[in-house]
């Protein structure tokens, strides 16, 4: 299938699933805006994406961003809004699973900042561009780790207790909630918003900050996991397939609709979380597009 003429912003393209997603979309002739840190790792990834897709600078465009910094996210959104005439796909792929609790330069717990607030900000700041390019799509990479979780509003940022898997799963459930809330608010605009589990994939996720013993165990376990290319399949499907044209607010795995944690559809929890995200970022979707309170 061709994505010729489509512009896709993908975050976290320096490794793992995001890099494989960028290669896949570029091979389908999309213009890929590869949003990643300004680092040597990212520049190497950029060269690999170009080499493996057979494309050049005209269709693989490096946009530097630190997703843990709200200033950097605003700069990214400004650049996309000013430099590109359209935006067909916003693919919030980047994510972290922090071993130890840490704070960003904005004073926010890192997992919550990168996994929840970064997509929230990008969705809000790019809504008008997405609407103007409709039909267009928001694709958020969540995780099955959200399935056994609930939202503890008193411990959203691990203030009381930080558990690596618990806070990661809770952040992905929070991402589900804001994705579904976005789909409600964008109803009728031609912009869809869906979320997905990529599978259990061989990447470096979760190994940052681990001690060497746990890192070595993790490396061994990863040998039995699926490839990043397999992990990219559902993201690419949701970004490109005509099968999901007009489908919104749904959860996918293995390129099929799946049953999400029911809390993902809890409207009261979504409203409460939305307000928290608004307060922490100072932005909200423009009122002209809001169709539900
Ligand atoms: N692997 C799995 O089994 C699995 C399962 C379920 C869900 N997921 C989800 O899949 C997505 C992709 O993860 P992955 O498995 O491919 O892991 P990964 O290889 O560690 O990729 C994560 C990406 O996010 C980027 N990133 C993290 N923090 C950033 C920041 N502050 N600024 C800019 N970029 C940042 C990383 O860039 P740097 O390297 O520069 O930090 C990297 O490109 C994540 O949302 C993850 O939660 C993965």
């Amino acid at each position: 299938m061709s994505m010729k003429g489509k512009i896709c912003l993908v975050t976290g393209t320096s490794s793992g699933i995001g890099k494989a997603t960028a290669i896949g979309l570029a091979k389908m002739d999309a213009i890929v805006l590869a949003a990643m840190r300004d680092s040597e790792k990212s520049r190497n990834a950029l060269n690999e994406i170009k080499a493996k897709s057979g494309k050049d600078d005209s269709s693989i465009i490096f946009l530097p961003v630190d997703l843990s910094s709200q200033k950097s996210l605003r700069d990214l959104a400004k650049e996309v809004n000013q430099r590109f005439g359209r935006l067909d796909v916003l693919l919030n792929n980047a994510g972290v699973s922090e071993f130890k609790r840490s704070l960003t330069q904005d004073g926010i717990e890192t997992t919550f900042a990168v996994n929840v607030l970064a997509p929230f900000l990008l969705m809000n700041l790019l809504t008008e561009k997405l609407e103007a390019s409709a039909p267009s799509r928001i694709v958020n990479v969540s995780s099955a780790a959200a399935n056994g979780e609930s939202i503890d509003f008193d411990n959203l940022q691990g203030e009381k207790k930080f558990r690596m898997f618990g806070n990661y799963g809770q952040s992905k459930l929070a991402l589900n909630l804001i994705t579904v809330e976005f789909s409600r608010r964008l109803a009728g605009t031609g912009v869809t918003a869906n979320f997905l589990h990529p599978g259990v994939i061989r990447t470096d996720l979760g190994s940052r900050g681990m001690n060497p013993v746990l890192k070595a165990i993790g490396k061994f376990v990863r040998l039995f996991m699926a490839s990043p290319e397999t992990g990219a399949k559902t993201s690419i499907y949701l970004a490109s397939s005509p099968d999901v044209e007009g489908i919104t607010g749904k959860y996918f795995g293995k390129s099929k609709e799946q049953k999400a944690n029911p809390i993902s559809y809890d409207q009261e929890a979504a409203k409460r979380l939305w307000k928290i995200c608004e307060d922490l970022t100072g932005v909200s979707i423009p009122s002209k597009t809001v169709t539900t309170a």
Side-chain angles (χ1 to χ4, degrees):
M1 192 198 331
S2 174
M3 287 284 279
K4 204 171 176 60
K6 304 276 186 198
I7 302 188
C8 306
L9 172 61
V10 186
T11 66
T13 49
S14 67
S15 62
I17 298 164
K19 184 165 70 181
T21 302
I23 293 167
L25 289 170
K27 280 184 175 169
M28 294 163 83
D29 293 328
I31 292 176
V32 177
L33 311 183
M36 48 190 164
R37 271 185 237 269
D38 191 356
S39 67
E40 196 183 335
K41 179 181 172 185
S42 297
R43 278 183 284 280
N44 290 337
L46 187 72
N47 289 335
E48 190 182 332
I49 295 165
K50 284 192 229 162
K52 290 197 170 155
S53 63
K55 305 290 176 183
D56 60 21
D57 290 336
S58 61
S59 42
I60 315 289
I61 296 160
F62 176 25
L63 299 181
V65 66
D66 176 355
L67 297 161
S68 69
S69 156
Q70 294 189 14
K71 155 122 191 15
S72 184
L73 283 157
R74 283 190 166 79
D75 289 346
L76 171 69
K78 194 173 170 191
E79 184 171 3
V80 172
N81 280 323
Q82 289 180 349
R83 195 169 149 192
F84 302 97
R86 56 184 301 110
L87 182 64
D88 299 281
V89 176
L90 165 61
L91 211 160
N92 287 303
N93 161 80
V96 287
S97 176
E98 291 274 293
F99 189 58
K100 281 192 193 139
R101 186 173 191 268
S102 67
L103 296 182
T104 67
Q105 56 188 271
D106 301 325
I108 292 165
E109 189 278 311
T110 306
T111 318
F112 190 74
V114 174
N115 296 0
V116 185
L117 294 183
F120 178 82
L121 258 172
L122 289 179
M123 288 191 283
N124 270 297
L125 298 172
L126 295 170
T127 294
E128 282 187 31
K129 182 69 81 183
L130 287 161
E131 275 188 48
S133 314
S136 53
R137 301 176 182 194
I138 296 169
V139 178
N140 288 338
V141 181
S142 182
S143 171
N147 290 351
E149 292 297 329
S150 54
I151 300 280
D152 179 353
F153 280 98
D154 296 326
N155 196 39
L156 262 188
Q157 298 186 46
E159 303 91 332
K160 289 198 298 197
K161 188 176 182 191
F162 185 81
R163 295 168 299 131
M164 178 182 174
F165 295 116
N167 278 79
Y168 173 74
Q170 179 177 253
S171 75
K172 291 299 189 179
L173 180 55
L175 178 63
N176 296 358
L177 275 163
I178 60 165
T179 309
V180 176
E181 183 60 20
F182 252 97
S183 74
R184 288 187 200 107
R185 289 175 179 240
L186 293 171
T189 63
V191 186
T192 58
N194 293 299
F195 53 113
L196 69 105
H197 172 58
V200 180
I201 307 301
R202 193 168 59 240
T203 68
D204 288 338
L205 187 76
S207 60
R208 252 173 265 233
M210 266 188 181
N211 68 46
V213 178
L214 283 177
K215 238 182 191 164
I217 295 170
K219 208 170 175 183
F220 176 73
V221 171
R222 279 201 292 279
L223 292 175
F224 303 96
M225 296 179 178
S227 69
E229 290 70 31
T230 300
K233 280 184 181 164
T234 306
S235 292
I236 294 170
Y237 173 77
L238 287 177
S240 62
S241 174
D243 298 355
V244 286
E245 188 75 61
I247 305 281
T248 192
K250 304 291 187 202
Y251 176 56
F252 288 78
K254 294 189 174 168
S255 301
K256 292 208 161 41
E257 195 182 323
Q258 309 273 346
K259 210 167 170 252
N261 181 333
I263 296 169
S264 309
Y265 298 97
D266 180 331
Q267 295 204 34
E268 283 313 307
K271 275 182 201 150
R272 197 170 164 191
L273 181 65
W274 188 275
K275 176 79 177 68
I276 291 168
C277 293
E278 275 182 355
D279 292 345
L280 288 172
T281 59
V283 299
S284 181
I285 213 162
S287 58
K288 72 179 171 63
T289 62
V290 175
T291 54
T292 61

